Amino acid sequence: MKIEFESVKPHIGAIVHVDRSALKDEAFAQRCLEALDKHTVLVFPRIGLNDDEQLAFTDRLGARVEFSSSGEGSKNVSQAVLQVTLDKKISDRTEYVQGTYFWHMDGMPVSDIPPPKATLLSARRIAPKGGQTEFASTFAAYEKLSAAEKAEIADLRVLHSIHASLRPLIDTEEEDHRWRRASVGRERPLVWAPKSGRKSLLIGSTADRIIGMPVPEGRAMITRLIEWAAQPDFKYSHHWQEGDLVVWHNCGALHRVIPYDSESGRLMHRTSLAGTDALN
Ligand code: OGA
Ligand code: MN
C-alpha cells in the first residue's frame, strides 16, 4: 500500500494520501505521530469517517481525552465525540464555539490535565461562507526566535483562563462576572519543552497574563508572540470539504476558525488525544 505525506509548506501542513483501510493499521498510526511532529497539521481529504471510525483512529494514535464534561461540551455530556457547531439545537455552548474565532490551543485552561497532544476534526457539514480553519505553527515560531529572545522567555509562566479566551465575546458586565466566576486559571510554561520532540510556545486567546510581569507588558508580549506565529510562512488555512479529517499537533500550532453563520448548519466532529508530558 502506498502512503504519502505530501508537504504543503516547508513549515506547516501535509496532505496524507492513503487508503482508508490503513487507519486500522498500528504502523500507520506510528507514522502519523511522527508526521505530526514534522508537519504539525495532517489533512486527510474526503476520508469520510463516521464517529466509530474517528474514535477508533483516535484510540490507535494514543489515549483519548474527552472535553464534553469539562466546559467545552455540547448538550449530550456523555458524548465521546464533541459536536462543534453554532446550531443551538445541537450545542448549548455556542460561546465556546465563538471563542474558536480567535487563535488558541485546545484544553489550555483545563486545570487537571497536561496540554492535549492532538485534536482530530472531521467535517460533517460545511458552511457556504467562512468556516475555514487556520493553523499557525508555534514550533516554527519558537525555532525562529533569536537566541536572545529564547533566553528572555525561557523561564516564564503564563496564566490561562476561559475568561481570557471569551473576553472578545463579552458584551455586558453581567457576562463578564459570570465568566470570571466560572473561570479557574491554569498556569503553564510559556515555552513548551517536551521530553522528546520540538519546543514550542503555549500561547493563544486563553493566555491571560505572564506571571510576575505587569499585566500590560505581559499581554503585549503574548500578543507579539501570537502575531509572530501567525506570519504567512508559518500558517496554513484549511478550506473544508465534507468528509475531510484534519489532525493537528495541539501544542505545536495555534488554530482558529473564520466566522461562519449560525444558520449555515456547519458541523464538525472533534476528538482529542491526551498529552503525555505531565510536567506541563
Ligand atoms: C475547536 C475548534 C475549529 C473549527 O472545536 O476547538 O477550534 O474549525 N474548532 O471548528
Ligand atoms: Mn480549538
Side-chain angles (χ1 to χ4, degrees):
M1 188 193 331
K2 194 168 165 293
I3 297 168
E4 196 197 337
F5 294 91
E6 180 199 348
S7 176
V8 177
K9 286 171 117 178
H11 285 300
I12 189 163
I15 314 280
V16 188
H17 300 282
V18 68
D19 192 89
R20 71 205 303 283
S21 64
L23 269 60
K24 295 202 176 75
D25 187 47
E26 195 63 52
F28 175 66
Q30 201 48 47
R31 286 193 61 188
C32 284
L33 291 172
E34 286 157 21
L36 264 186
D37 271 336
K38 184 170 173 204
H39 298 286
T40 319
V41 179
L42 304 180
V43 177
F44 297 75
R46 306 206 75 147
I47 194 146
L49 302 188
N50 64 29
D51 282 354
D52 286 344
E53 290 167 329
Q54 182 167 339
L55 286 166
F57 184 48
T58 309
D59 290 343
R60 206 150 281 123
L61 292 171
R64 201 184 336 139
V65 60
E66 286 177 21
F67 284 104
S68 34
S69 57
S70 66
E72 296 187 28
S74 57
K75 277 188 176 160
N76 186 348
V77 290
S78 66
Q79 227 161 31
V81 175
L82 190 65
Q83 293 185 297
V84 179
T85 180
L86 287 173
D87 184 343
K88 288 213 159 58
K89 291 193 292 298
I90 300 175
S91 175
D92 55 4
R93 302 276 188 154
T94 48
E95 293 102 332
Y96 284 94
V97 178
Q98 288 171 317
T100 67
Y101 293 171
F102 304 90
W103 289 120
H104 68 284
M105 292 167 158
D106 293 335
M108 284 303 145
V110 181
S111 59
D112 52 354
I113 56 163
K117 179 175 172 60
T119 303
L120 296 84
L121 201 65
S122 62
R124 297 315 182 90
R125 262 201 302 282
I126 60 171
K129 187 167 177 288
Q132 303 88 340
T133 308
E134 301 195 304
F135 300 91
S137 172
T138 46
F139 282 147
Y142 178 78
E143 206 173 291
K144 296 294 179 191
L145 289 173
S146 69
E149 286 168 321
K150 285 179 184 167
E152 193 192 337
I153 65 172
D155 299 319
L156 295 179
R157 293 186 66 80
V158 176
L159 185 74
H160 292 261
S161 76
I162 300 279
H163 180 255
S165 68
L166 298 182
R167 208 174 271 136
L169 320 179
I170 291 172
D171 201 26
T172 67
E173 220 167 294
E174 189 276 323
E175 285 170 357
D176 188 63
H177 285 138
R178 182 156 52 87
W179 285 111
R180 207 178 272 282
R181 274 197 308 276
S183 180
V184 189
R186 171 63 152 101
E187 244 184 78
R188 306 272 188 198
L190 175 55
V191 177
W192 189 63
K195 283 192 219 63
S196 65
R198 302 161 74 184
K199 286 189 180 179
S200 179
L201 300 166
L202 300 183
I203 49 179
S205 60
T206 57
D208 185 43
R209 61 190 66 210
I210 294 179
I211 308 292
M213 208 183 262
V215 168
E217 279 79 353
R219 287 189 180 152
M221 177 181 271
I222 292 163
T223 301
R224 285 201 314 280
L225 289 171
I226 294 172
E227 286 167 357
W228 170 249
Q231 62 182 282
D233 283 354
F234 301 169
K235 202 172 137 192
Y236 167 69
S237 178
H238 187 65
H239 295 244
W240 293 93
Q241 290 191 286
E242 231 155 78
D244 285 356
L245 170 74
V246 177
V247 182
W248 68 90
H249 200 308
N250 183 55
C251 296
L254 289 161
H255 64 282
R256 70 175 176 192
V257 63
I258 302 300
Y260 52 93
D261 202 287
S262 60
E263 304 296 306
S264 67
R266 185 184 192 270
L267 175 64
M268 313 298 280
H269 281 195
R270 181 182 131 182
T271 49
S272 299
L273 274 191
T276 50
D277 280 273
L279 68 153
N280 291 314

